[in-house]
């Protein structure tokens, strides 16, 4: 059983900052890529940022220069530092991990967290 648990969401004024965390726990052999997605009301889920196990990152154009994704492989934890937040960043943010388990070391499986709400007021 694998769980991803996000934390750090909340309400912040435009221009403010938040730091999201996503802790992966359970029967994990290796975590490959991890990523943050978000979904605003009435919109499709979109990729915010991703990071490989070696630390290579990619970002959506809308958050480049404002958000920073990072991970602590010793703690199986993913982070998203969000600065200069805008009202259009308001969404439910979910983390995603592609990983293998001790009983299935060769076929990666995708897991999702339950999501955390981020609301940016103008």
């Amino acid at each position: 059983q694998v769980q991803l648990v996000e934390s750090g969401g909340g309400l912040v004024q435009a221009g403010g900052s938040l730091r999201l965390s996503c802790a992966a726990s359970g029967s994990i052999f290796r975590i490959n890529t991890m990523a943050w997605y978000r979904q605003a009301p009435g919109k499709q889920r979109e990729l915010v940022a991703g990071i490989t196990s070696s630390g290579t990152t990619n970002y959506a154009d809308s958050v480049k220069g404002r958000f920073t994704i990072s991970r602590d492989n010793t703690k199986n934890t993913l982070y998203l530092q969000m600065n200069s937040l805008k009202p259009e960043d308001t969404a439910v943010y979910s983390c995603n991990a592609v990983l293998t388990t001790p009983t299935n070391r060769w076929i990666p499986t995708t897991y999702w967290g339950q999501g955390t709400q981020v609301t940016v007021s103008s």
Side-chain angles (χ1 to χ4, degrees):
Q1 189 84 7
V2 174
Q3 282 190 318
L4 301 182
V5 179
E6 299 102 336
S7 60
L11 173 64
V12 64
Q13 287 189 330
S17 298
L18 282 175
R19 188 191 195 210
L20 305 183
S21 299
C22 171
S25 63
S27 186
I28 298 170
F29 177 69
R30 174 185 168 86
I31 301 178
N32 298 332
T33 59
M34 302 184 82
W36 288 100
Y37 285 76
R38 67 186 181 186
Q39 186 167 20
K43 295 186 177 181
Q44 288 191 329
R45 184 169 60 192
E46 63 172 350
L47 174 67
V48 176
I51 185 168
T52 67
S53 57
S54 59
T56 300
T57 60
N58 64 287
Y59 296 91
D61 288 343
S62 59
V63 306
K64 282 181 181 177
R66 300 188 298 122
F67 291 10
T68 302
I69 190 171
S70 61
R71 62 191 280 179
D72 184 336
N73 292 329
T74 65
K75 298 180 180 179
N76 286 340
T77 300
L78 177 70
Y79 304 98
L80 185 68
Q81 178 66 43
M82 305 185 293
N83 298 328
S84 302
L85 282 161
K86 304 175 181 180
E88 50 264 44
D89 294 319
T90 295
V92 174
Y93 285 71
S94 300
C95 68
N96 161 297
V98 179
L99 57 87
T100 56
T101 64
T103 56
N104 189 3
R105 299 185 181 188
W106 306 112
I107 302 177
T109 303
T110 301
Y111 291 85
W112 290 89
Q114 81 288 351
T116 185
Q117 177 69 45
V118 171
T119 303
V120 184
S121 63
S122 57

